[in-house]
Each structure stands twice: as C-alpha cells, then as structure tokens.
Amino acid sequence: MEAAETNLTAKRARGLDRAFEILEFLRNQKNPMRPNEIASQIGAPRSSVYELVNLLLRNQILEFADGDGRVYLGRKLYFLGAAYEKQFDFTRECENALETIARETRETAQFCMLDGNKYTVVRMKEGARPFRISSDVGQSVPIPWTASGRLLVGHMSDQEILDFIPSQDFQLPNGEWLDPKEFLREVRDATQQGEFTFDSIVDSFTHCFAVPVVNAEHRCVATLCLVSPREDGLANREKYLQCLKKAASALGFPAPP
C-alpha cells in the first residue's frame, strides 16, 4: 500500500514537472503550437503531452489560439501574475528605481535576474534620448553573454558555476567561444568590485553596466543595469555606475522567507 502511494506521488510529481516544461517551452517559443509539435520539440510522449494540455486547458492555464488546435499561455496566468504583484510590492519599488535611473542618465535601465540557468530582463525603462536601446523583457539569454551574469553567479564556487551553466552557452553570438576560465576570473573580479561593465557581446554598438542588488544575506539575487551607446557609456562610466549603485543600495531586496 505504501509503495503504491509512493509511486502515485512520484507519477504526479513527474506530471507536474512536465506541465511546467510545457509552459516554459511555450513562453520561450512565443508562438502558439499544436500539442504534437510541443511533444516533438520537448522530447515527450504525445499521449502525456495531450493529457496535460487538456488538463491545462480545462483550468485556463492554456487556451486555444486558433481553430487549428494550437494552444498558448492562458489568461489565468495573467491573473495569477497580477495577484503576485499585488502581494509582492517590491515590483513597484523596482519600477521607481528604474524610472530614476532612466531619468538621471537618459539611458535604458533594466532589472535583471536568473531564470533557471539563464539570464532574463524582468523590468525595463527606456531612456529619453532619441536613440533608444531596448531588450525583450522575459527573454532567456545565456549567462556568459551578459554583464549581469558575472554578478548573479558570484555566490557559487567555480565548479558550481561550470556545472550550472550549459557548456554550449559559452559560445558567443559571433560563433567564438569564451574561455570558461576567463569567465570565472571576471566573475570573481566583478563580485569583489561590486560592478561589471563591458562592450555588449550581443550588440556591437552598446556598452553594458551592471551592479548587484543584494538581499539581507548579502547575496546578489538581481542586478540593476544600464545599456547605452558605446561612446556615451565609456564617457560617462563613473557617473552611470554611481547612479546604479545608489539605486541598488536604496532598493533593498527582501530577505528570503
């Protein structure tokens, strides 16, 4: 009897993991897809995916996007997110910080975090200058491609970092490979200095700034960032870093429960 209950619990846990995998896959795809296409892409049995998709449809976590059977993220997720924001008012403090940074620097300000073993922009405020630079909020990006990545993994040991970041993520957008040893050195320097800046790996015309936002345990759990035209970023480096650090210090990320 106990063994049967254990097996049932394990089966439900696997089903829940698969359901989250489906949701995450659709979020990254940013397009509706048929259940059989989802199953093929994530390497899951079609029967299991169809069963879970139907369950998610019944609960409005997924919705039909057209008459051809394609499904996408449902409105229930929006309401859940709205409830989260209402309870977790730190997001409003974050908006105020980004507003201040963008106003004082006229550059694009971002609040960034880890999403699994990837980097993502959680919030963004575009600058006031005519030449605007923006990123897709919520898009997953390899950690080594980003200035923030050097800070967000700073609490890990070298081996933990290498185990955490997929090896293929050290291949840069131009096809070159970043030496993991060089990345680790940059992580340690950035963590010690409390900042990291570099010419963007993704966009050759921009310069990126990142400073840590720490919790009560002094662990970097998020970053405040600026993305500016390269020449302006280099000319205003100290001013921009001072603005970011002041905002990060005032933000005060809540301690974990």
Side-chain angles (χ1 to χ4, degrees):
M1 186 66 162
E2 184 176 344
E5 291 180 353
T6 300
N7 290 335
L8 180 59
T9 300
K11 182 179 179 181
R12 287 174 175 171
R14 288 193 297 271
L16 186 58
D17 286 341
R18 184 72 76 188
F20 281 123
E21 184 179 5
I22 291 170
L23 296 176
E24 186 68 19
F25 174 74
L26 287 172
R27 181 178 81 98
N28 290 330
Q29 290 296 307
K30 299 182 180 179
N31 286 304
M33 298 186 72
R34 297 184 180 90
N36 65 316
E37 295 172 330
I38 297 172
S40 176
Q41 290 292 320
I42 67 175
R46 291 189 180 185
S47 58
S48 297
V49 170
Y50 272 99
E51 182 179 355
L52 287 169
V53 165
N54 286 330
L55 176 62
L56 294 170
L57 285 168
R58 288 199 299 272
N59 287 277
Q60 297 183 317
I61 301 299
L62 293 180
E63 293 181 356
F64 283 112
D66 54 34
D68 294 327
R70 294 182 178 87
V71 298
Y72 197 61
L73 305 178
R75 68 193 70 187
K76 179 66 73 64
L77 293 173
Y78 170 80
F79 294 126
L80 292 172
Y84 173 79
E85 285 203 351
K86 184 177 180 180
Q87 177 68 24
F88 191 47
D89 61 2
F90 174 72
T91 55
R92 286 189 287 275
E93 297 180 33
C94 178
E95 289 287 349
N96 292 335
L98 294 178
E99 186 77 36
T100 299
I101 294 168
R103 182 178 65 252
E104 292 184 0
T105 65
R106 302 180 69 237
E107 309 290 3
T108 298
Q110 299 174 339
F111 179 78
C112 308
M113 300 180 74
L114 290 180
D115 180 17
N117 60 3
K118 295 291 190 292
Y119 151 99
T120 189
V121 177
V122 179
R123 298 275 177 169
M124 182 181 68
K125 178 66 178 179
E126 289 188 334
R129 62 168 62 248
F131 174 57
R132 295 188 178 183
I133 303 169
S134 61
S135 302
D136 291 334
V137 173
Q139 181 178 3
S140 295
V141 178
I143 291 171
W145 295 11
T146 70
S148 292
R150 274 73 176 170
L151 295 163
L152 290 167
V153 298
H155 61 284
M156 301 180 184
S157 68
D158 287 359
Q159 190 58 53
E160 286 174 335
I161 292 173
L162 296 179
D163 291 340
F164 181 66
I165 299 176
S167 58
Q168 64 269 22
D169 284 4
F170 287 98
Q171 184 174 24
L172 305 178
N174 62 5
E176 296 180 0
W177 287 86
L178 173 63
D179 186 346
K181 292 182 179 179
E182 174 66 14
F183 177 76
L184 292 174
R185 184 190 65 77
E186 292 174 345
V187 167
R188 299 307 166 210
D189 288 346
T191 301
Q192 182 178 15
Q193 296 169 11
E195 64 187 50
F196 191 80
T197 74
F198 73 165
D199 290 336
S200 172
I201 292 174
V202 179
D203 184 341
S204 60
F205 299 103
T206 62
H207 194 77
C208 302
F209 300 78
V211 303
V213 178
V214 300
N215 62 11
E217 298 176 339
H218 304 289
R219 170 177 164 178
C220 175
V221 288
T223 59
L224 285 176
C225 313
L226 272 182
V227 184
S228 71
R230 180 176 295 181
E231 291 185 2
D232 293 317
L234 294 174
N236 294 284
R237 183 179 187 276
E238 295 307 318
K239 173 186 174 182
Y240 287 177
L241 283 173
Q242 183 179 8
C243 180
L244 285 171
K245 289 180 178 180
K246 181 179 178 181
S249 177
L251 200 52
F253 202 92

